[in-house]
Amino acid sequence: MSRQVFLYDQPDRFVAGTVGLPGRRTFFLQATAGPRVTSVVLEKTQVAALAERMDELLDEVVRRSGGSAAVPAVAPSEIADTAPLETPIEEEFRVGTMALAWDGEEQRMIVEAQALVELEADTEEDLAEAEERLLQDEENGPPMLRVRLTGAQARAFAKRALDIVNAGRPPCPLCSLPLDPEGHVCPRQNGYRRGA
């Protein structure tokens, strides 16, 4: 079976979003172009890492170009996307690895999210070889979402993604662990339940 690649070259919309209540949220990346919608599941830490790395890469592009690249310094408010995810949400795959690149010729950010694949091997060496073969197999590799964004779209994506990550449960003022609505057992309170 050949590799399934969901390609969006400058999509109508590319956002991070969630379903569920804080503490029990499922995180998604969703790309849309016309009637076509692709949704993939990933972890909160992956969303945060993607957004932070995207901002860093855009800052580096601006720095190296001396400010001549078509990349805004901050997310443009006129393209801010605060709408919920498109429904129904149908998960294509769970993200394992992600990659970012800047196409200087086209002035586009390239985002790739590849499906999580479980490999079996007897030794660490065999596992490393299997991973390398899988990454290099363009025709039979795991499913992948590939999105090409303008600098402005990338800034807007990163801002929304970080806002969504930070909209979770508030941290405990004593231990910084997330507070559930019913409180939590705080290690700094010797195991006493701390209210929200």
Side-chain angles (χ1 to χ4, degrees), residues 136-182:
Q136 292 179 357
D137 191 351
E138 280 295 317
E139 288 190 20
N140 300 311
M144 178 173 52
L145 170 64
R146 181 179 292 147
V147 181
R148 295 172 51 86
L149 306 167
T150 64
Q153 286 175 315
R155 285 281 190 209
F157 170 86
K159 181 180 182 331
R160 175 184 166 129
L162 288 173
D163 288 348
I164 285 172
V165 167
N166 294 328
R169 297 172 288 172
C172 172
L174 297 176
C175 70
S176 298
L177 291 173
L179 278 174
D180 291 320
E182 60 276 355

Side-chain angles (χ1 to χ4, degrees), residues 60-140:
E60 183 65 16
V61 167
V62 170
R63 188 187 68 73
R64 287 189 180 191
S65 72
S68 66
V71 176
V74 295
S77 60
E78 63 272 9
I79 65 168
D81 185 343
T82 57
L85 295 172
E86 298 289 329
T87 56
I89 300 170
E90 296 177 15
E91 172 188 336
E92 296 295 340
F93 59 84
R94 180 168 289 278
V95 175
T97 58
M98 295 183 295
L100 282 178
W102 179 257
D103 180 345
E105 197 171 299
E106 296 284 325
Q107 296 286 298
R108 297 283 185 263
M109 171 77 68
I110 301 166
V111 181
E112 290 184 352
Q114 189 168 278
L116 179 65
V117 176
E118 301 212 10
L119 300 172
E120 293 182 24
D122 295 330
T123 66
E124 293 276 332
E125 214 171 82
D126 291 343
L127 184 60
E129 285 177 23
E131 286 175 347
E132 187 63 30
R133 277 194 311 274
L134 186 64
L135 290 173
Q136 292 179 357
D137 191 351
E138 280 295 317
E139 288 190 20
N140 300 311

